[in-house]
C-alpha cells in the first residue's frame, strides 16, 4: 500500500467532495428554475395554464430521481471489480455529458431523457467515492469518510444551488446547467490529477453484489432510510409556502430559509459521520429521535422568523446526520457487496425525495395547511424506527453466520499495474 502525504490525501478528498458539490447542484437547481423551464419548453401550455405547465415540468425532477434509483444498484453491481479511480473518472464524464445534454436538448421530452441519463451515475459515484475516502482516511473512519464525501452535497445546498439558481434566473436555465456541467468537468480533471489509483475487488461479480438484495437486513435498512429521508423532503419541498403562509415572510426571505436549512445539513452531516463510526445502529435510533424532536420544534415555533429558522436548521441537521448512519449500516449488513451497499443509500434517499414531495403535496391539497408536511414527517418516523428495530432484530438473530463490520475496506491503494 502506497502511503500518501497529508496534503495529497486532503486534495484527493477535496476532489471527491467536489463531485458531491456538482451532484447537489444538478439535483436541486431545477426546483428554483422550474417556472423558467416551463415557460421555455412548454410555452403554449404555460400561456394557457401555468399550474399545469409547472406540474408537467416537474417530470424533470422526477426523471432525475428515477435515474438515481435505477443507476445506483445497476452500475454498482456491474462495476464493482473495476479500478476505483477509473470508474470515478468515467462517472464524472457521464455527469458532464448528461448535464451538457440537459442544457442543449431542444425539446421538453429530450430534456427529461437527458436528466434521467445524467442521474444514472449519482448513487454509484457517492458509493465508490465513499469507499475510496474510507481507505484514504484509514481504519475505523468509514462514517466520517461517507460524511466527508456528502459534505460537497450539503455545502452545495448552502452556496451552489442558490448561486446557480440566481445565474439561471438572470441568464437562462440552460446557462445554469452549463455551469453545473463545468463543475463536473473540473471534478473529472481533479480526480485524474490527485485521486490515487485504487484497485477494485477482483472477486466481485454481478451475482455476488446483487446477492446483498437477498438479505432482509439490507431491505430493512433501505426502508429505514427512505422513510427518514421522506420526512425530510416533505418539509424541504414546501419550505416556500411554509415561510410565506405560516411565518408570514416575503418570498424574498425564502432563500435565507433554504440557506439556514443547508447550514444545518452541513453541520449534521459531520456529526452523523462521527456517530456512525461509534455504532451505526445506535446512531440511527438516536438520530430518528433527534429528527422527531426537530420537527416538533418547527411545528411549534414556525409562526415566528427565529422559530422557523431554528426549526429548519435542526431539521436539516438531524436528517443529514441520518444519511451517513444509514449508509454505514447498509455497508455493515451487505457482507461482501460493499460497492452496491454504499450506492443503495442514495436510491433510498431519492425514493424518500419522491415519497416526501408526493405525500407532502397530498396533505396540503387536503386542506391541512402548510405545517402538515412537518406532521407527516413526524408520522413517518414511526415506521422508520420500526423498520430499524426489525433490522436490528434480524442481525441479532443471524449474528453467528452474518459477517461483522468489515475490518478492512474492499479497496487497495497501490501503483497502477
Amino acid at each position: 500500500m502506497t502511503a500518501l502525504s497529508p496534503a495529497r490525501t486532503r486534495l484527493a478528498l477535496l476532489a471527491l467532495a467536489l463531485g458531491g458539490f456538482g451532484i447537489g447542484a444538478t439535483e436541486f437547481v431545477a426546483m428554483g428554475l422550474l417556472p423558467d423551464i416551463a415557460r421555455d419548453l412548454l410555452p403554449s401550455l404555460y400561456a394557457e395554464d401555468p399550474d399545469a405547465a409547472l406540474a408537467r415540468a416537474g417530470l424533470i425532477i422526477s426523471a432525475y430521481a428515477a435515474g438515481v434509483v435505477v443507476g445506483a444498484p445497476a452500475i454498482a453491481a456491474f462495476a464493482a471489480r473495476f479500478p476505483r479511480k477509473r470508474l470515478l473518472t468515467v462517472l464524472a464524464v457521464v455527469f458532464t455529458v448528461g448535464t451538457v445534454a440537459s442544457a442543449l436538448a431542444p425539446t421538453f421530452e429530450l430534456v427529461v431523457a437527458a436528466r434521467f441519463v445524467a442521474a444514472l451515475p449519482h448513487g454509484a459515484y457517492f458509493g465508490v467515492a465513499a469507499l475510496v475516502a474510507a481507505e484514504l482516511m484509514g481504519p475505523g473512519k468509514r462514517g466520517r469518510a461517507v460524511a466527508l464525501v456528502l459534505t460537497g452535497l450539503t455545502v452545495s445546498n448552502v452556496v451552489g444551488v442558490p448561486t446557480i439558481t440566481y445565474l439561471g434566473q438572470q441568464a437562462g436555465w440552460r446557462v445554469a446547467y452549463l455551469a453545473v456541467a463545468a463543475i463536473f468537468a473540473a471534478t473529472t480533471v481533479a480526480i485524474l490529477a490527485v485521486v490515487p489509483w485504487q484497485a477494485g475487488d477482483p472477486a466481485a461479480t454481478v451475482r455476488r453484489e446483487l446477492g446483498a438484495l437477498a438479505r432482509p437486513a439490507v431491505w430493512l435498512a433501505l426502508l429505514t432510510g427512505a422513510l427518514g429521508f421522506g420526512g425530510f423532503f416533505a418539509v424541504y419541498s414546501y419550505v416556500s409556502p411554509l415561510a410565506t403562509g405560516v411565518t408570514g415572510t416575503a418570498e424574498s426571505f425564502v432563500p435565507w430559509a433554504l440557506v439556514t436549512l443547508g447550514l444545518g445539513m452541513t453541520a449534521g452531516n459531520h456529526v452523523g459521520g462521527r456517530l456512525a463510526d461509534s455504532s451505526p445502529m445506535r446512531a440511527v435510533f438516536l438520530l430518528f429521535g433527534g429528527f422527531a424532536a426537530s420537527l416538533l420544534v418547527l411545528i411549534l415555533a414556525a409562526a415566528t422568523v427565529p422559530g422557523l429558522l431554528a426549526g429548519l436548521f435542526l431539521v436539516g441537521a438531524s436528517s443529514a446526520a441520518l444519511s451517513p448512519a444509514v449508509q454505514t449500516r447498509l455497508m455493515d449488513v451487505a457482507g461482501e457487496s460493499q460497492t452496491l451497499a454504499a450506492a443503495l443509500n442514495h436510491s433510498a434517499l431519492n425514493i424518500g425525495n419522491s415519497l416526501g414531495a408526493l405525500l407532502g403535496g397530498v396533505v396540503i391539497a387536503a386542506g391541512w395547511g402548510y405545517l402538515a408536511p412537518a406532521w407527516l414527517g413526524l408520522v413517518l418516523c414511526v415506521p422508520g424506527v420500526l423498520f430499524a428495530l426489525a433490522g436490528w432484530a434480524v442481525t441479532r438473530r443471524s449474528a453467528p453466520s452474518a459477517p461483522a463490520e468489515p475490518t478492512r475496506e474492499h479497496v487497495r491503494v497501490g501503483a497502477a499495474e
Side-chain angles (χ1 to χ4, degrees):
M1 182 179 294
T2 302
L4 299 179
S5 68
R8 174 71 182 278
T9 299
R10 286 193 293 271
L11 286 173
L13 293 171
L14 183 61
L16 299 174
L18 180 61
F21 185 91
I23 292 173
T26 198
E27 182 173 16
F28 297 118
V29 77
M31 295 176 180
L33 295 175
L34 216 53
D36 305 85
I37 294 171
R39 277 193 296 267
D40 183 41
L41 295 177
L42 303 167
S44 299
L45 181 59
Y46 191 87
E48 180 181 335
D49 188 344
D51 289 341
L54 285 172
R56 189 176 178 199
L59 288 174
I60 290 173
I61 298 172
S62 300
Y64 188 91
V68 177
V69 173
V70 171
I75 295 175
F78 280 94
R81 65 188 306 164
F82 294 170
R84 307 299 187 198
K85 178 174 181 174
R86 185 181 304 164
L87 179 55
L88 286 171
T89 303
V90 171
L91 294 174
V93 169
V94 174
F95 270 130
T96 305
V97 173
T99 309
V100 169
S102 302
L104 301 182
T107 67
F108 175 74
E109 291 76 15
L110 288 176
V111 171
V112 170
R115 295 312 296 150
F116 179 84
V117 171
L120 292 174
H122 180 125
Y125 178 90
F126 274 125
V128 176
L131 293 175
V132 173
E135 179 68 15
L136 291 171
M137 294 181 71
K141 296 181 179 179
R142 287 184 309 152
R144 273 169 281 186
V146 171
L148 190 143
V149 174
L150 289 172
T151 295
L153 188 149
T154 59
V155 171
S156 184
N157 277 278
V158 179
V159 179
V161 173
T163 302
I164 295 175
T165 298
Y166 178 78
L167 173 65
Q169 290 171 338
Q170 302 303 311
W173 67 270
R174 295 183 187 274
V175 174
Y177 275 118
L178 288 175
V180 175
I183 296 172
F184 286 128
T187 300
T188 305
V189 173
I191 290 171
L192 287 170
V194 299
V195 173
W197 179 272
Q198 290 193 6
D201 183 355
T205 63
V206 174
R207 182 176 181 179
R208 194 194 76 179
E209 288 294 312
L210 293 179
L213 298 178
R215 296 169 177 250
V218 169
W219 286 102
L220 290 167
L222 287 172
L223 288 168
T224 299
L227 290 166
F229 302 140
F232 166 69
F233 280 109
V235 174
Y236 184 96
S237 300
Y238 301 99
V239 165
S240 180
L242 173 64
T244 57
V246 175
T247 314
T249 69
E251 287 189 3
S252 59
F253 182 80
V254 172
W256 294 105
L258 291 172
V259 166
T260 302
L261 191 147
L263 288 171
M265 292 173 65
T266 302
N269 178 49
H270 289 284
V271 172
R274 290 186 175 274
L275 290 173
D277 280 335
S278 174
S279 170
M281 200 71 256
R282 184 168 64 239
V284 168
F285 290 125
L286 178 64
L287 293 169
F288 257 112
F291 182 50
S294 69
L295 288 168
L296 279 174
V297 170
L298 180 63
I299 290 167
L300 296 174
T304 67
V305 170
L308 173 72
L309 294 179
L312 289 176
F313 181 89
L314 293 173
V315 166
S318 55
S319 61
L322 191 59
S323 185
V326 171
Q327 181 159 329
T328 306
R329 169 65 178 170
L330 278 166
M331 294 165 73
D332 278 350
V333 298
E336 293 182 312
S337 307
Q338 291 293 290
T339 305
L340 180 66
L344 280 175
N345 186 48
H346 300 280
S347 291
L349 191 149
N350 277 271
I351 291 171
N353 185 343
S354 300
L355 179 70
L358 173 65
L359 295 181
V362 168
V363 295
I364 289 175
W368 294 347
Y370 294 128
L371 279 174
W375 284 109
L376 171 67
L378 201 58
V379 170
L380 290 177
C381 285
V382 176
V385 170
L386 291 177
F387 282 126
L389 282 170
W392 175 77
V394 166
T395 51
R396 289 274 292 181
R397 284 200 306 269
S398 60
S401 58
E405 178 177 332
T407 56
R408 65 177 180 85
E409 296 300 328
H410 294 266
V411 291
R412 297 191 299 276
V413 181
E417 298 178 356

